[in-house]
């Protein structure tokens, strides 16, 4: 099978994670890493062969929302590094929290990872995993820590616990329950598991150091009591592991080598190593253990990416759903017309750093143009239509009903895509901006007495315009200059300084075209104190009626095109129909239309 991501070139220079991986792969004297083919504990993997994958990474989404551009960064990093270093990337649903997770998100996340071009199947096996399948092991790990004197059940109230944890300036204070015997704690933990205590009545905590300068090491919670039906395990459990406990274990059971996460987890790394180290000492997990590395988050300017805020925009109707083309969700970006390659290339181009980055849509748009310039079929569209009447048509061709056939390459560099054919009749739609009754300096398009070329058609000379009673221009008048048809001998004898795009009235396809602008009026709508909703751009979407050339009559939803002079457009995935075409503008052309 061909690799759909092969066109995404690794940017070797700006990726410190590559240096780390290369260093690790070159290290001598490493313990051998066995992998039994499925996730499991030390004994399970010890019985398996040496891991054929040189590295293992994972993308670990929580199935509680739709993926956004920031997740795309993590996806492309994890899958891209695995691809580049003969490794395997797992898609793991971090579904340890029973409250907010739904099948709808599980499905949508898989669809988007695959859409981006990545595959969690490698060597004929699926590497799609669910953390909730590890609940048994996690509980066993908890019992082990208790038995080893490394964890205890704390019955303080949440308020007491919060207070006794201290803060940056104040060391924590030991819980009165901290010195219970392992046997006592084990009994309590088993009672927690068996539903003998109310939700929130007690938690299991690691026993590390209440005075540690790193607050994450002040006896972090490992398990809580929560009676909730889990989408996978149903009512089997009434206790659920905390994320900080569950995540390192998930990595270790899956034999992840490089666990990449965003910077806010940096302070969790000591606990990650503490936990896995102790579980390995106890023989539950196998060496070598996974290592966590942090990279900067990716944020996009003029939008929000927090799941909570995205949900608010959707739920309150500020946008038209999770796939609204103005949202930075991957479903929204796909609908807008961004291609998987443009997103992958953006991630490569921006690299990975140790600080959170703010990306402008212009970077993404540059990557989109780079991808589509060489691929997207060309077409003519008139977005702001004004009628042009060719007044000497009947005189030249015998009748106003006469149609001249024009053609143009579907793509100037891809002759294999063939030619587009379209007719030129006595009335055509042109852009309103291509006519000026009184031209400004440097204007070379239509104005009385000036000549221009109807692209792929004839040179015409403007003779004036028609107006309605209130003086609005209703049509432009011009005459065809004979013997100037593009592609015929001598066509260039008459020199003109411009060429304009057009669509003939007799065969123009009427279409709805949706033009998008920034969703918010400020770069970082959720950074200040103010309500981010107050920064919504009321003009973020404009819907117009445009006329398209006939080659666009039979396109599939999701197909993208370059509308000559205007930019890149996509047939809307949801609303486009052959008898009711709907296109979204993705982005403009790099250097617009000059003169
Ligand atoms: P959000 O904060 O937007 O709700 P999250 O971090 O809670 O996102 P998860 O489902 O836990 O969402 O994320 C899955 C993975 O994607 C994690 O490894 C996380 O670090 C990574 N990730 C999330 N947001 C970004 C981002 N903006 N840039 C880079 N990676 C991200
Ligand atoms: Mg998260």
């Amino acid at each position: 099978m061909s690799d759909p991501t092969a066109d995404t070139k690794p940017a070797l220079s700006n990726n410190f994670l590559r240096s780390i991986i290369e260093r690790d792969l070159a290290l001598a004297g490493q313990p051998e890493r066995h992998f039994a083919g499925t996730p499991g504990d030390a004994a399970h993997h010890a019985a398996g062969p040496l891991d054929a994958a040189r590295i293992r990474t994972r993308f670990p989404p929580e199935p509680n929302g739709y993926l956004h551009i920031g997740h795309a960064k993590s996806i492309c990093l994890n899958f891209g590094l695995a691809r580049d270093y003969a490794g395997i990337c797992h898609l793991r649903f971090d579904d340890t929290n029973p409250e907010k997770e739904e099948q709808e998100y599980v499905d949508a996340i898989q669809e988007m990872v695959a859409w981006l071009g990545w595959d969690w199947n490698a060597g004929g096996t699926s590497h799609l995993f669910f953390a909730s399948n590890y609940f048994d092991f996690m509980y066993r790990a908890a019992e082990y820590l208790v038995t080893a004197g490394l964890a205890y059940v704390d019955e303080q109230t949440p308020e007491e616990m919060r207070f006794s944890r201290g803060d940056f300036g104040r060391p924590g204070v030991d819980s009165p329950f901290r010195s219970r015997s392992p046997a006592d704690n084990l009994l309590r933990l088993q009672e927690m598991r068996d539903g003998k205590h109310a939700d929130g009545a007690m938690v299991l905590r690691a026993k590390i150091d209440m005075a540690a300068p790193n607050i994450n090491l002040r006896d972090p919670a490992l398990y809580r009591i929560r009676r909730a039906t889990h989408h996978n395990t149903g009512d089997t459990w009434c206790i659920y592991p905390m994320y900080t406990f569950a995540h390192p274990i998930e990595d270790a059971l899956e034999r992840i080598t490089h666990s990449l996460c965003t910077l806010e987890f940096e302070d969790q790394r000591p606990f990650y190593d503490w936990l896995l180290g102790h579980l390995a000492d106890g023989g539950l997990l196998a060496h070598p253990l996974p290592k966590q590395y942090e990279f900067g988050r990716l944020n996009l300017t003029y939008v929000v990416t927090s799941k909570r805020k995205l949900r608010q925009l959707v739920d309150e109707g500020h946008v038209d759903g999770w796939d609204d083309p103005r949202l930075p969700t991957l479903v929204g970006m796909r609908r807008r017309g961004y291609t998987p390659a443009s997103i992958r290339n953006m991630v490569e181009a921006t690299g990975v750093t140790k600080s959170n980055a703010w990306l402008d849509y212009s970077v993404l748009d540059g990557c989109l143009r780079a991808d589509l310039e060489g691929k997207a079929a060309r077409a003519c569209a008139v977005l702001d239509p004004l009628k042009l009447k060719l007044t000497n048509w009947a005189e030249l061709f015998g009748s106003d009903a006469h149609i001249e056939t024009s053609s143009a390459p579907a793509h100037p560099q891809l002759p294999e895509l063939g030619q587009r054919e379209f007719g030129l009749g006595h009335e055509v739609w042109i852009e309103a901006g291509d006519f000026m009754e009184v031209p400004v300096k440097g204007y070379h398009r239509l104005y009385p007495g000036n000549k221009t070329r109807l692209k792929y058609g004839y040179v015409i000379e403007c003779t004036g315009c028609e107006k309605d009673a209130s003086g609005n221009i209703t049509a432009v008048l011009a005459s065809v200059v004979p013997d100037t048809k593009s592609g015929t001998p001598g066509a260039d004898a008459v020199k003109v300084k411009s060429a304009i795009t057009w669509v003939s009235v007799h065969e123009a396809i009427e279409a709805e075209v949706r033009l998008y602008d920034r969703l918010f009026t400020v770069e970082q709508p959720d950074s200040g104190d103010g309500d981010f909703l107050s920064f919504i751009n009321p003009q973020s979407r404009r819907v117009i009626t445009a006329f398209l050339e006939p080659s666009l009559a039979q396109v599939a939803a999701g197909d993208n095109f370059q509308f000559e002079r205007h930019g890149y457009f996509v047939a809307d995935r949801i609303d486009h129909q052959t008898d009711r075409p709907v296109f979204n503008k993705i982005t403009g052309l790099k250097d617009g239309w000059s003169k």
Side-chain angles (χ1 to χ4, degrees), residues 130-142:
F130 290 84
S132 56
N133 288 333
Y134 312 147
F135 280 160
D136 285 337
F137 180 89
M138 288 173 189
Y139 180 74
R140 193 177 129 212

Side-chain angles (χ1 to χ4, degrees), residues 314-328:
V314 173
D315 288 349
E316 295 178 6
H318 301 289
V319 294
D320 292 338
W322 288 100
D323 66 350
D324 187 291
R326 292 165 293 185
L327 288 182

Side-chain angles (χ1 to χ4, degrees), residues 43 117 123 179 181 219 299 552 559:
S179 47
S181 73
D219 294 6
N299 303 297
L552 293 173
D559 283 357

Side-chain angles (χ1 to χ4, degrees), residues 135-143 189-190 193 223 237 239:
F135 280 160
D136 285 337
F137 180 89
M138 288 173 189
Y139 180 74
R140 193 177 129 212
E143 283 206 347
L189 175 60
Q190 288 167 349
R193 177 201 58 190
Y223 260 100
W237 297 93
I239 57 171

Side-chain angles (χ1 to χ4, degrees), residues 372-378 408-418 420:
L372 288 188
E373 166 58 28
K375 292 182 193 162
R378 303 322 199 228
H411 189 288
Q413 281 87 45
L414 300 174
E416 63 272 25
L417 292 188
R420 305 134 51 194

Side-chain angles (χ1 to χ4, degrees), residues 310-378:
L310 289 170
R311 178 167 291 115
Q312 195 179 344
L313 288 171
V314 173
D315 288 349
E316 295 178 6
H318 301 289
V319 294
D320 292 338
W322 288 100
D323 66 350
D324 187 291
R326 292 165 293 185
L327 288 182
T329 53
L330 294 180
V331 279
M333 294 177 69
R334 175 175 70 172
R335 187 162 178 197
R336 172 73 169 264
Y338 288 101
T339 59
S342 66
I343 296 173
R344 291 196 302 269
N345 284 325
M346 180 276 295
V347 171
E348 278 298 341
T350 52
V352 264
T353 55
K354 274 284 193 183
S355 57
N356 296 329
W358 282 90
L359 179 79
D360 194 83
Y361 265 102
S362 62
V363 178
L364 198 53
D365 288 355
C367 293
L368 179 88
R369 289 187 199 102
D371 180 34
L372 288 188
E373 166 58 28
K375 292 182 193 162
R378 303 322 199 228

